[in-house]
Amino acid sequence: MDFQLTEEQQMIQAAARDFAKTEIEPIAAAIDETGEFPLSTIRKMGELGLMGIEVPDEYGGAGLDSIGYALALIEISAACASHGTIMSVNNSLYANGLLKHGTEEQKQTFLKPVASGEAIGAYALTEPQSGSDASNMRLRAELSADGSHYVINGKKSWITSGPVAKYVVLFGKTDPEKGAKGITAFMIDTERDGFVRGKTEPKMGIRASATCEIEFENYKCPVEWRLGEEGQGFKIAMGVLDAGRVGIASQAVGISRAAYEKSLEWARDRKAFGRSIGEFQMIQAKIADMRTRLEAATLLTMRAAWAKTQMAKTGSRMSLEGSMAKLYASEAAMFITHQAVQIHGGMGYSREMPLERYFRDAKITEIYEGTSEIQRMVIGRLETGLR
Ligand code: CAA
């Protein structure tokens, strides 16, 4: 076993850390306050190769592995979880499925601009009545009589980057009688007729990432834009989420690390009763628990990222590793950010410091790309072989 990073992995980690410190950290509090989408920093991240890290060079990406991706996402999320969210949707939810299941033409049209950061991508699975119960979707895609296109009608909700996305990976029912086996994936150009953006969600955290409903009103999707075969959509969606969950685990690790580092500094500097608060055993116990969970979360995340790299080579599933990493890292992020607010006392509660932002941002990692309850369900089913 070798815990040493390769030269390439160290390079992307250093580049992401440097960019995060100089360009993202200084604006993180302000964009959290205003909710402004950080288009100019996202564009620069694209120029650095951060918006398509695992996408091969010929399709506009950086051509690195999943560990490099996880390391970079940790650095970006430590500075600003909103940037982490936008980066993770582009890299994991959008690019991953397209890379695996897209035709050469689809990759040229839909992958290149998003992996290079010129355009933003989104992933549309959830509907108002179907979040965790994803296969219960209603959005309908009907093949036209001449077989040239699908006519799409229906609504999707909680679409991260929806307000700014140029392209969307969409899942809909082509055969409603067949349940999960009647779901098909499509590539959508949001600039075509029949695509409508709905209400924007006012969120507790990751406030500078944009989230909205989207609606399809007789949208005509050319048959060549179908991703994979009819009926394969649910498996494509689930495979993408398995890999995507490594991204959310990385985001959680980044937020946790930022909260932990601030807490350590505060424990050393803040004086009470004539000494540094870090001298008190109660603070030391908090630091010990935070550090240990941070380390465990990082190791599970790196292990899942490694499994993702193997999956890319062998085609095997990595549901267990992805779900365990996301479950543990997101719950660790809630624990660590909660303790960080507590260690800082009143200053932890104040918007003058980033602790309360970390706390609000951490919460989403237990919800999106599958709640903690869904991760436990996936792990429990796989381990017992029962459902
Ligand atoms: N990979 C490949 N295939 C898979 C799979 C996987 N990970 N998981 C399931 N499948 C296959 C099954 O094998 C089955 O196929 P067969 O019948 O041929 O065996 C088929 O898919 C149906 O599977 P299930 O019967 O297990 O499906 P289910 O309805 O019981 O649901 C679930 C399973 C795990 C609960 C799933 O619905 C799920 O993951 N739900 C959570 C959805 C989610 O994470 N949503 C987040 C949306 S993205 C987001 O958060 C927004 C954003 O923009 C960030």
Side-chain angles (χ1 to χ4, degrees), residues 127 138-142 150-156 170-173 194 214-220:
E127 295 183 8
R138 289 186 192 148
L139 183 131
R140 188 79 170 90
E142 286 175 273
Y150 289 88
V151 180
I152 301 182
N153 281 291
K155 193 189 253 189
K156 293 282 173 185
L170 174 75
F171 300 90
K173 287 248 165 96
I214 57 176
E215 213 160 333
F216 295 82
E217 294 170 356
N218 292 321
Y219 181 97
K220 286 185 184 163

Side-chain angles (χ1 to χ4, degrees), residues 21-138:
K21 279 255 166 270
T22 54
E23 305 261 353
I24 299 180
E25 212 170 275
I27 61 166
I31 59 172
D32 171 62
E33 195 73 41
T34 60
E36 183 191 334
F37 188 85
L39 196 56
S40 73
T41 39
I42 292 295
R43 289 250 185 280
K44 288 186 198 164
M45 281 168 64
E47 285 160 23
L48 282 175
L50 295 172
M51 297 309 275
I53 293 181
E54 295 167 84
V55 175
D57 197 39
E58 74 241 50
Y59 303 122
L64 299 178
D65 65 7
S66 305
I67 293 178
Y69 168 53
L71 292 167
L73 189 48
I74 289 172
E75 296 304 326
I76 299 297
S77 304
C80 171
S82 293
H83 278 80
T85 299
I86 302 159
M87 176 176 166
S88 113
V89 171
N90 246 50
N91 278 273
S92 315
L93 294 189
Y94 183 86
N96 208 296
L98 196 43
L99 194 56
K100 238 163 86 187
H101 304 280
T103 61
E104 180 58 29
E105 198 189 325
Q106 287 172 345
K107 288 178 192 170
Q108 292 296 340
T109 311
F110 299 109
L111 188 53
K112 236 177 171 174
V114 173
S116 62
E118 282 160 44
I120 306 281
Y123 173 93
L125 180 71
T126 300
E127 295 183 8
Q129 82 296 336
S130 61
S132 291
D133 186 9
S135 65
N136 194 26
M137 65 180 66
R138 289 186 192 148

Side-chain angles (χ1 to χ4, degrees), residues 85 88-89 93 122-126 131-136 157-161 180-181 211 234-242 245 248 317-319 367-371 374-375 377-378 381 387:
T85 299
S88 113
V89 171
L93 294 189
Y123 173 93
L125 180 71
T126 300
S132 291
D133 186 9
S135 65
N136 194 26
S157 54
W158 288 102
I159 308 307
T160 306
S161 295
K181 288 189 169 58
T211 314
F234 194 67
K235 290 191 182 185
I236 294 176
M238 291 296 113
V240 165
L241 280 173
D242 283 346
R245 287 166 185 162
I248 304 307
R317 267 173 68 170
M318 47 144 313
S319 312
I367 298 173
Y368 63 10
E369 296 200 30
T371 60
I374 288 293
Q375 307 312 326
M377 185 176 169
V378 170
R381 281 180 176 183
R387 1 175 336 112

Side-chain angles (χ1 to χ4, degrees), residues 23 32 193 275 324:
E23 305 261 353
D32 171 62
D193 287 348
R275 35 188 174 145
M324 289 194 302

Side-chain angles (χ1 to χ4, degrees), residues 129-256:
Q129 82 296 336
S130 61
S132 291
D133 186 9
S135 65
N136 194 26
M137 65 180 66
R138 289 186 192 148
L139 183 131
R140 188 79 170 90
E142 286 175 273
L143 192 60
S144 61
D146 65 1
S148 67
H149 61 273
Y150 289 88
V151 180
I152 301 182
N153 281 291
K155 193 189 253 189
K156 293 282 173 185
S157 54
W158 288 102
I159 308 307
T160 306
S161 295
V164 288
K166 163 90 169 103
Y167 301 116
V168 179
V169 181
L170 174 75
F171 300 90
K173 287 248 165 96
T174 39
D175 191 344
E177 306 302 309
K178 287 193 180 158
K181 288 189 169 58
I183 295 172
T184 303
F186 302 93
M187 296 310 306
I188 299 295
D189 181 342
T190 63
E191 285 169 14
R192 286 170 78 108
D193 287 348
F195 179 87
V196 184
R197 291 186 168 90
K199 75 168 169 110
T200 302
E201 302 298 342
K203 303 190 298 293
M204 171 201 268
I206 53 162
R207 288 177 35 75
S209 76
T211 314
C212 72
E213 287 187 340
I214 57 176
E215 213 160 333
F216 295 82
E217 294 170 356
N218 292 321
Y219 181 97
K220 286 185 184 163
C221 178
V223 77
E224 315 79 72
W225 291 5
R226 188 186 66 219
L227 188 61
E229 296 303 319
E230 269 197 20
Q232 270 189 351
F234 194 67
K235 290 191 182 185
I236 294 176
M238 291 296 113
V240 165
L241 280 173
D242 283 346
R245 287 166 185 162
V246 184
I248 304 307
S250 308
Q251 182 184 37
V253 167
I255 299 168
S256 300

